[in-house]
Amino acid sequence: MRAAEDIIKRPYITEKSNAEIAEGKYTFIVDVKATKTEIRQAVEKLFQVKVLKVNTIKCDGKRKRLGVHEGFRPDWKKAIVKIDTDPKPVTYLAEGGKTATTTKKYKTSIEEFGAAQ
């Protein structure tokens, strides 16, 4: 398994991504070969939040020229991660038919994202 720091490269900050922070959606540039499961585990490990949903978009690199020389920019991948902004305690049935509850210690936002809410 790869390290979480290798999967999540950096936050992707635009006007649209800043507006989505209020809904609990954060946008990251991730490794091109990363899967949704790896992205979910990396975000949960790095930021101690509960991830509800991961959407990914693969973007192809643009063709660029410098004089007569042509080349391509590298391909990249963007992930939009929806986190749980209102974590509720989990209740389950324990031995003897008693109801037990556990509270999860999750954050409700990512302060290290670098954007103002």
Side-chain angles (χ1 to χ4, degrees):
M1 183 175 165
R2 295 185 289 177
E5 293 82 8
D6 295 334
I7 295 172
I8 306 292
K9 292 185 178 180
R10 63 181 178 271
Y12 188 67
I13 300 172
T14 61
E15 289 182 15
K16 183 177 180 181
S17 66
N18 276 341
E20 289 179 340
I21 290 176
E23 301 169 16
K25 293 182 180 180
Y26 293 87
T27 309
F28 297 97
I29 293 179
V30 297
D31 186 33
V32 176
K33 297 179 183 177
T35 63
K36 289 185 179 186
T37 307
E38 290 175 337
I39 294 168
R40 174 189 307 261
Q41 292 170 352
V43 170
E44 286 180 352
K45 181 181 176 188
L46 287 175
F47 303 109
Q48 288 81 37
V49 294
K50 178 67 178 166
V51 175
L52 298 177
K53 192 173 182 180
V54 176
N55 294 331
T56 58
I57 302 149
K58 185 177 176 189
C59 302
D60 293 328
K62 295 179 181 180
R63 189 177 90 180
K64 290 292 180 179
R65 288 181 34 170
L66 184 62
V68 295
H69 304 288
E70 284 189 4
F72 283 91
R73 287 188 175 169
D75 298 343
W76 57 288
K77 192 173 200 177
K78 179 170 67 169
I80 301 171
V81 178
K82 182 169 177 59
I83 66 168
D84 190 8
T85 57
D86 188 27
K88 295 181 174 62
V90 177
T91 60
Y92 61 92
L93 226 50
E95 285 187 27
K98 296 181 182 178
T99 304
T101 61
T102 59
T103 58
K104 300 290 183 177
K105 307 262 181 181
Y106 293 122
K107 294 181 183 176
T108 58
S109 67
I110 299 176
E111 292 85 17
E112 301 90 5
F113 192 70
Q117 289 190 11

